[in-house]
Amino acid sequence: MKRVGVLALQGDYAAHERAILRAGAEPFEVRTLEDIDAAEALILPGGESTVMGSLLVRFGLLERLVKRIAEGLPVFGTCAGLILLATRVEGYTQPGIGLLDVTVRRNAYGRQVFSFRTPVRTKVPGAEKLEAVFIRAPKIIACGPKVEVLAEYEGSPILVRQGTMLGATFHPELVDGAAIHSYLINL
Ligand code: GLN
């Protein structure tokens, strides 16, 4: 069984652990350098990207994460996790991983009260139709040439892939099924 780490400094990592179990893999919580090294795939959960970024620096985890992801560790960033992965965050210079060639706009749909869920279509096998949950979600406002768009909503990419990196502006861990988690595990 593949051991899938979930960065567990802050945010909705527990929901991802349940999704990993649904996908038939073994989840574990990542808080140390040893945990990062043990992961065969990694999830960066939703939460608050500024908080996660500063905790990564404070706990001395950022460099090792960048190294492993750059070397091809499959990674899936959802919402705040996508913001951490992005090379550019509009209007911010916050610590992050900076490897997924997209520009994101934080809180692009407005405040918490403007969070919503809506049916979307994706190119991921088994997740052709999906209920997407957006919680103070970012928007991907630009993508580099190596980025493949796997789903869009209202003309903006909401699920993207670049090699072994996946990013979603929504929360697939909060709905039934686990097709996108399975996709990550099999990258
Ligand atoms: N608004 C958060 C941020 O900018 C992301 C929200 C989420 O992860 N659900 O980091």
Side-chain angles (χ1 to χ4, degrees):
M1 239 211 248
K2 264 210 182 148
R3 297 199 71 210
V4 181
V6 187
L7 186 67
L9 303 179
Q10 190 267 338
D12 83 327
Y13 51 88
H16 277 288
E17 290 176 58
R18 293 190 288 272
I20 293 163
L21 284 173
R22 291 198 295 278
E26 186 192 333
F28 71 100
E29 295 178 359
V30 170
R31 294 193 181 87
T32 64
L33 292 174
E34 293 70 30
D35 296 335
I36 293 174
D37 289 344
E40 294 176 273
L42 182 71
I43 289 184
L44 307 169
E48 203 52 51
S49 55
T50 47
V51 176
M52 270 191 263
S54 25
L55 290 177
L56 283 175
V57 172
R58 189 184 311 169
F59 299 150
L61 301 175
L62 185 59
E63 265 177 48
R64 185 76 62 94
L65 263 188
V66 171
K67 181 169 185 286
R68 285 224 61 207
I69 295 169
E71 286 170 356
L73 173 71
V75 66
F76 182 21
T78 57
C79 207
L82 161 72
I83 297 168
L84 281 179
L85 267 183
T87 47
R88 290 166 306 277
V89 182
E90 191 186 55
Y92 285 85
T93 45
Q94 55 192 63
I97 294 162
L99 290 171
L100 178 66
D101 192 10
V102 295
T103 306
V104 293
R105 177 177 298 156
R106 294 182 62 209
N107 303 320
Y109 300 90
R111 294 165 45 209
Q112 184 74 23
V113 286
F114 301 113
S115 297
F116 60 102
R117 55 193 293 161
T118 186
V120 296
R121 290 179 175 274
T122 86
K123 293 184 186 165
V124 172
E128 288 84 0
K129 283 182 173 181
L130 200 71
E131 192 73 9
V133 179
F134 294 88
I135 304 172
R136 286 205 307 123
K139 255 186 202 171
I140 296 172
I141 56 173
C143 292
K146 293 191 181 140
V147 175
E148 182 188 358
V149 176
L150 298 174
E152 285 185 342
Y153 173 68
E154 290 184 341
S156 297
I158 57 168
L159 178 63
V160 295
R161 173 179 174 183
Q162 180 185 340
T164 48
M165 293 182 282
L166 279 179
T169 62
F170 59 99
H171 289 268
E173 73 284 6
L174 296 181
V175 295
D176 293 343
I180 302 184
H181 288 74
S182 301
Y183 185 66
L184 167 79
I185 291 159
N186 296 309
L187 272 182

